[in-house]
Amino acid sequence: MASLIEELIMVLGEEERIYSEIIPLAEKKTRIIVKNDLQSLTSITEEEQALVSRISKLEKKRQEVIRNIGVVMNKKESELNFLSIINLIRGQEREQQELRVIHDKLKSTISLLAMLNERNQMLIKQSLEMIDFDMNLLQSLRTSPGVGQYNTSSEV
C-alpha cells in the first residue's frame, strides 16, 4: 500500500509541475491575443497541447493507481478522492502530509490556470465579436445605396 501512495504522490506532483508550466504559457497567450498575433497564438497553442497530452497520460496513471488503492483497501474507485485516501492511511503521517500538500498545491495551480483560461476565452470571444461587427459594417456599407459612391465630375 505504501508504494501505491508514493506512486500517487509522484504522479500528482508531476501533474502539478506540468500545470505550472502551462501558467506562463497562458499568461503569454493573453498578450498574444491582445496583439492579435495569430502565428504566435498557433505556436503557443501547440506547446500547450503537448503539455496537455502529457497530463492526459498522467491522469490515466493516477486513475490506475487509485483503482489499485481501491482494490487493496476494498473500496470502490468512485468512493476514493484525496480526502478519503488521506483518511484511509491513518498512521502514515508523512504520506498524509505529502498528499495534503500536493492536493493544496494542485488545487491552487489549477484554479489559477482556470482563471487565466477564462480570461483568454473572454478576450478571444471579444475579438471574434469585433471581427463579426467589422464584417457586418463592411457588408452594410457595400449594400447601402449611395454610400461609398463618389462623383468624379468637377461639379460639387
Side-chain angles (χ1 to χ4, degrees):
M1 177 67 173
S3 65
L4 288 173
I5 298 300
E6 288 174 17
E7 188 173 7
L8 179 62
I9 291 168
M10 190 246 351
V11 169
L12 294 172
E14 185 64 16
E15 277 189 69
E16 195 281 328
R17 190 185 65 72
I18 295 171
Y19 278 118
S20 292
E21 286 181 40
I22 296 174
I23 289 173
L25 291 177
E27 291 169 336
K28 185 177 178 182
K29 185 186 256 186
T30 301
R31 293 187 297 276
I32 288 170
I33 293 167
V34 169
K35 288 181 188 175
N36 199 23
D37 182 353
L38 296 178
Q39 187 174 9
S40 295
L41 184 60
T42 300
S43 174
I44 204 162
T45 300
E46 289 171 0
E47 285 181 63
E48 285 178 325
Q49 288 302 316
L51 292 171
V52 168
S53 175
R54 289 174 46 202
I55 288 171
S56 180
K57 290 176 186 172
L58 286 168
E59 268 301 298
K60 288 178 184 173
K61 182 67 176 171
R62 181 190 61 79
Q63 289 172 347
E64 177 187 324
V65 171
I66 288 177
R67 195 172 17 259
N68 290 338
I69 290 171
V71 168
V72 170
M73 299 302 285
N74 198 25
K75 298 280 183 185
K76 293 180 184 175
E77 182 181 351
S78 61
E79 296 174 357
L80 296 175
N81 59 35
F82 280 110
L83 298 177
S84 65
I85 292 172
I86 288 169
N87 288 331
L88 287 173
I89 59 172
R90 286 194 179 113
Q92 298 176 4
E93 285 80 22
R94 183 182 62 82
E95 289 84 358
Q96 282 182 318
Q97 183 59 27
E98 285 182 44
L99 273 176
R100 281 188 191 100
V101 167
I102 195 65
H103 171 261
D104 293 345
K105 220 172 162 182
L106 193 55
K107 187 176 177 180
S108 172
T109 301
I110 290 173
S111 177
L112 175 58
L113 190 55
M115 188 267 309
L116 291 169
N117 284 338
E118 188 175 308
R119 180 179 62 193
N120 287 341
Q121 234 178 354
M122 182 191 69
L123 287 170
I124 290 170
K125 182 180 178 196
Q126 288 175 350
S127 292
L128 290 173
E129 288 172 353
M130 190 62 163
I131 290 169
D132 192 43
F133 174 80
D134 289 346
M135 294 297 289
N136 288 335
L137 181 62
L138 284 172
Q139 189 175 26
S140 70
L141 287 175
R142 285 186 182 158
T143 59
S144 296
V147 175
Q149 297 177 1
Y150 297 99
N151 186 350
T152 57
S153 69
S154 59
E155 296 176 23
V156 179

